[in-house]
Amino acid sequence: MIAEAAIARVAEREAERFRAANPRAFAHRAVATGWFQSVPFHWMKDWPSPVPIVAASARDATLTSIDGHTYDDFCLGDTASLFGHSPPALAAALARQAGEGLSYMLPTERGAALSQRLAAMFGLPQWQVTTTASEANRAVIRWCRGISGRRKILIFNGAYHGAVDDAFVDLKGGDPAMRASLIGQVHDLRDTTTVIEFNDQDAVAAALRSGDIACVLAEPVMTNVGMVRDAPGFLAALRKLCDETATLLVFDETHTISSGYGGHGVTHGPRPDLMVIGKSIGGGVPCAVYGFSAEVAERMAALNAARPAGHSGIGTTLSANALAITAMDTMLGDVITPAAYDHMLRGAARLLAGLEAEIAGVGLEWRVAQVGARVEFLTCPTPPRNGGEAKAAMHPALEAAIHLFLANRGILLAPFHNMMLVSPVTSDDQIDRLVGAFADCTRALKE
């Protein structure tokens, strides 16, 4: 156990160290007053430092701040730059596309090639492009409701699927409740969203056999409430129950693309009916895709043919713009390769082993979880089995102190939880520096 007094002591000391080392970041906040709360978007305030680090540039797995500090970047844009910052092939392709036009509202030859790359990598034959994974999830929910004629969706407690209203329902004391943090929510989402705990096969069976669930929207491994692994056999049972009840299975693989080439469904199974991938597939250029089976495509086409003319509620003007198409085609053709995953998985295994050794060395009852190239330390003795247990095990003050300690020593972790990403350009030296700084932090907390 780590004493609360020790957490407070380390946090205060590290905050002072940050203030002394980052004067330009504080000056930046003073002049960025045109932004609400001094940042272009609110989650930029979620870092544990007294003010956000202000980025100047990033390349490969390294980020440099305006205060001149160089960081080993294990956040990588919270997966947006999972395959490294500005891969040379991507930078060159984007520069060429910028000279040829950015958005036409027309298909391109490169888009045809991209559709084939997506089908080959992820094993689904039909695809559509959106601007964000949030938009893709919203579109998939609409399609699933439309082609099934059912109103409800099923999600898992603690899941996050972007800014999608339907997914913001939690379990509180075993009962569904709309997430209290939602701003301006006026409709009761519980009428159309069923929520249960991850890995609860009996609850899945009971919910799906009611016959009113259009789709299950899930990460095959939960990654946004800490990391919660699928229990042995759970995903296979989920697939079987969906088939038995004519329920569509949707995998949101925006994060679990870390599992291996083709994502978690291709690497470990089972295969979903539809899947969503965002962020990393464009190397950080705003874009996402959703793919679906031939059977789902036929049902979508029939629905389109039968519905009245007018806007479907799916899509935006910038969906599938030329820049996004070029970014994704380049990433899938030149950057996101089996060889890249070989490097990522080897590095993640090195990181996992190093963290486990240091945790054991200081006698802490913590655990380390791994989902392919994604590693996360858990400040609890038992890996959580579901979102409820994961939320109960979180220790925000402790995690913030660790993150700030590491940032002050040139190591960036994702600010929302304890996630560390290993990219194809992350070096062994960077991994070893992270493990060493983590060891120094645990010793400081144990003093």
Side-chain angles (χ1 to χ4, degrees):
M1 292 291 292
I2 304 294
E4 295 296 328
I7 296 170
R9 182 185 69 249
V10 169
E12 182 177 357
R13 184 181 68 202
E14 295 302 321
E16 287 303 317
R17 179 170 176 159
F18 183 92
R19 290 186 183 95
N22 294 276
R24 292 189 66 185
F26 282 89
H28 174 89
R29 182 181 66 171
V31 299
T33 54
W35 298 121
F36 175 60
Q37 297 182 317
S38 299
V39 288
F41 206 72
H42 61 81
W43 41 246
M44 292 180 181
K45 288 177 57 64
D46 289 345
W47 295 82
S49 48
V51 297
I53 294 165
V54 181
S57 64
R59 187 67 182 268
D60 294 336
T62 301
L63 183 143
T64 302
S65 75
I66 62 171
D67 281 289
H69 304 305
T70 299
Y71 298 89
D72 294 322
D73 189 1
F74 291 88
C75 172
L76 295 172
D78 190 31
T79 307
S81 298
L82 173 62
F83 299 95
H85 292 289
S86 295
L90 176 64
L94 294 180
R96 288 194 300 272
Q97 188 62 56
E100 297 169 1
L102 301 176
S103 190
Y104 315 136
M105 256 189 121
L106 291 168
T108 62
E109 287 186 321
R110 192 155 199 170
L114 172 60
S115 71
Q116 299 303 314
R117 293 191 196 278
L118 288 166
M121 180 173 178
F122 297 106
L124 289 170
Q126 297 282 280
W127 293 84
Q128 289 282 269
V129 180
T130 64
T131 311
T132 66
S134 295
E135 182 193 342
N137 279 319
R138 280 193 291 268
V140 163
I141 290 170
R142 279 187 176 272
W143 279 119
C144 289
R145 285 174 169 156
I147 65 178
S148 69
R150 299 173 179 179
R151 299 177 67 245
K152 291 186 177 181
I153 67 167
L154 174 68
I155 61 168
F156 293 106
N157 183 36
Y160 178 73
H161 297 289
V164 179
D165 286 6
D166 302 80
F168 288 116
V169 182
D170 293 324
L171 288 176
K172 299 290 185 183
D175 296 321
M178 288 199 299
R179 196 164 295 181
S181 60
L182 282 181
I183 295 173
Q185 180 60 41
V186 296
H187 301 294
D188 193 336
L189 303 171
R190 294 171 297 181
D191 293 338
T192 52
T193 298
T194 297
V195 58
I196 61 173
E197 290 287 10
F198 194 62
N199 283 324
D200 189 339
Q201 185 174 328
D202 290 340
V204 171
L208 297 191
R209 286 171 181 160
S210 66
D212 59 356
I213 304 294
C215 69
V216 176
L217 175 60
E219 291 185 293
V221 175
M222 297 185 78
T223 68
N224 277 287
V225 62
M227 286 205 306
V228 180
R229 290 304 311 251
D230 53 308
F234 174 71
L235 292 179
L238 177 61
R239 174 72 274 178
K240 184 172 184 290
L241 285 164
C242 284
D243 290 339
E244 290 175 356
T245 59
T247 307
L248 294 161
L249 178 58
V250 183
F251 279 171
D252 180 354
E253 293 234 36
T254 297
H255 281 194
T256 56
I257 192 175
S258 66
S259 292
Y261 187 78
H264 200 88
V266 169
T267 303
H268 301 290
R271 300 294 182 93
D273 300 301
L274 304 95
M275 71 182 300
V276 168
I277 308 164
K279 292 196 273 198
S280 63
I281 198 169
V285 172
C287 55
V289 292
Y290 60 97
F292 36 96
S293 69
E295 179 187 354
V296 169
E298 290 177 6
R299 295 171 69 184
M300 289 165 61
L303 176 62
N304 255 343
R307 70 180 179 88
H311 200 288
S312 64
I314 296 170
T316 64
T317 303
L318 290 176
S319 297
N321 67 77
L323 190 70
I325 294 291
T326 291
M328 289 187 286
D329 187 54
T330 303
M331 289 295 292
L332 266 62
D334 299 318
V335 181
I336 305 177
T337 64
Y341 274 98
D342 289 343
H343 180 98
M344 294 159 73
L345 298 179
R346 184 191 60 78
R350 182 186 186 96
L351 176 56
L352 174 72
L355 292 175
E356 287 183 333
E358 296 300 340
I359 287 169
V362 293
L364 286 170
E365 291 188 329
W366 293 0
R367 295 291 179 264
V368 185
Q370 180 186 2
V371 179
R374 183 179 304 270
V375 178
E376 186 156 329
F377 62 86
L378 311 170
T379 59
C380 56
T382 304
R385 295 168 299 178
N386 54 52
E389 291 184 4
K391 285 185 282 189
M394 290 177 178
H395 195 317
L398 172 59
E399 293 167 3
I402 295 171
H403 287 215
L404 185 53
F405 185 103
L406 294 175
N408 281 337
R409 286 150 187 84
I411 308 287
L412 287 185
L413 273 58
F416 309 114
H417 39 93
N418 305 318
M419 181 189 74
M420 297 155 281
L421 295 169
V422 177
S423 78
V425 287
T426 301
S427 69
D428 287 350
D429 286 345
Q430 289 180 300
I431 292 168
D432 293 345
R433 282 195 292 269
L434 168 53
V435 171
F438 180 84
D440 291 342
C441 183
T442 56
R443 285 192 287 269
L445 289 164
K446 294 276 283 186
E447 288 176 358

